[in-house]
Amino acid sequence: MLYRMLELTLAPALRAVYRPTVNGVEHVPATGPVIFAANHQSFADEFFVPLAARRQVFYFAKAEYFTTPGLRGRAMAAFFHAMGQVPVERTDTRSAAAVIDVGVDVLGQGRALGIFPEGTRSPDGRLYRFRTGIARIAIRSGAPVVPVGVVGTRAVQPPGSRRWHRAPVEVNFGPPQSFGHLVDQERSSRVLREVTDTIRTEIQRLAGQEFVDSYAASIKVAD
């Protein structure tokens, strides 16, 4: 019910204020399982991708967002649930495997799963090396991967800022990619990297970003 309320209030407001340009919407399946794999510039990405796709998109979120005590904690948990956030316990030593299992389960229910394969927001606006979890989920689930290039959200909510600013936003969807035929090779690190890089190359084209062949989490930004 809360998601429906946000769909009727927040979504029209965002469209009215930002008027995002959406390209390639014909590549977005209206129903059924799909993985939206996107570059990650800002927290705002999690709003604009579903807004452009016109589907509820489920994202992974820290489990503590759903377990904070008190009225504020319950309100926060309700909001994240409504936004399609899926709680994941990241402190578990088996967290990486757990995330993949949760993702496959979401897709098995015919839902849309959103993934930012960089694993974190870009520290400087460039596109960083993808982690191979996206490949594992795509291969194991057999769900199509729709690459997404998001442009402009870094200006909407700059790093370190909680305020949103008016700025042009563009969401570009690419043709679906399928990797279910590789299910027998899911354990191959070479295959996982090849699939991951195939997805990354298309997202880079759609987003127009410079690529950095290292993980974003290992990059330190000077003050």
Side-chain angles (χ1 to χ4, degrees), residues 136-210:
R136 289 187 183 278
I137 293 175
I139 291 172
R140 191 178 303 178
S141 69
V145 178
V146 172
V148 187
V150 184
V151 181
T153 52
R154 190 177 180 85
V156 171
Q157 189 185 34
S161 173
R162 294 186 178 182
R163 293 185 57 189
W164 281 37
H165 307 270
R166 293 190 65 173
V169 174
E170 186 175 307
V171 182
N172 303 308
F173 296 103
Q177 301 171 323
S178 296
F179 304 100
H181 62 285
L182 298 172
V183 65
D184 293 335
Q185 302 180 64
E186 184 191 336
R187 293 180 179 271
S188 168
S189 57
R190 176 185 59 81
V191 170
L192 291 175
R193 177 47 58 189
E194 288 177 353
V195 169
T196 302
D197 286 346
T198 296
I199 297 170
R200 190 267 303 165
T201 298
E202 182 63 4
I203 292 175
Q204 183 181 0
R205 181 186 71 83
L206 293 166
Q209 291 173 276
E210 176 187 348

Side-chain angles (χ1 to χ4, degrees), residues 85-167:
Q85 303 286 333
V86 180
V88 173
E89 183 54 71
R90 297 184 181 183
T91 58
D92 190 334
T93 56
R94 298 170 297 175
S95 59
V99 167
I100 292 168
D101 290 341
V102 170
V104 172
D105 182 61
V106 168
L107 293 164
Q109 297 174 43
R111 295 173 170 176
L113 178 67
I115 299 179
F116 300 114
E118 289 170 276
T120 188
R121 280 166 276 182
S122 171
D124 56 14
R126 296 182 294 176
L127 188 70
Y128 283 81
R129 195 175 197 220
F130 284 9
R131 299 185 181 276
T132 58
I134 176 70
R136 289 187 183 278
I137 293 175
I139 291 172
R140 191 178 303 178
S141 69
V145 178
V146 172
V148 187
V150 184
V151 181
T153 52
R154 190 177 180 85
V156 171
Q157 189 185 34
S161 173
R162 294 186 178 182
R163 293 185 57 189
W164 281 37
H165 307 270
R166 293 190 65 173

Side-chain angles (χ1 to χ4, degrees), residues 58-83:
F58 291 78
Y59 289 96
F60 299 121
K62 296 178 182 179
E64 52 262 39
Y65 291 162
F66 299 84
T67 57
T68 302
L71 182 60
R72 181 180 179 183
R74 290 196 295 273
M76 183 169 65
F79 175 77
F80 278 113
H81 274 301
M83 287 299 298

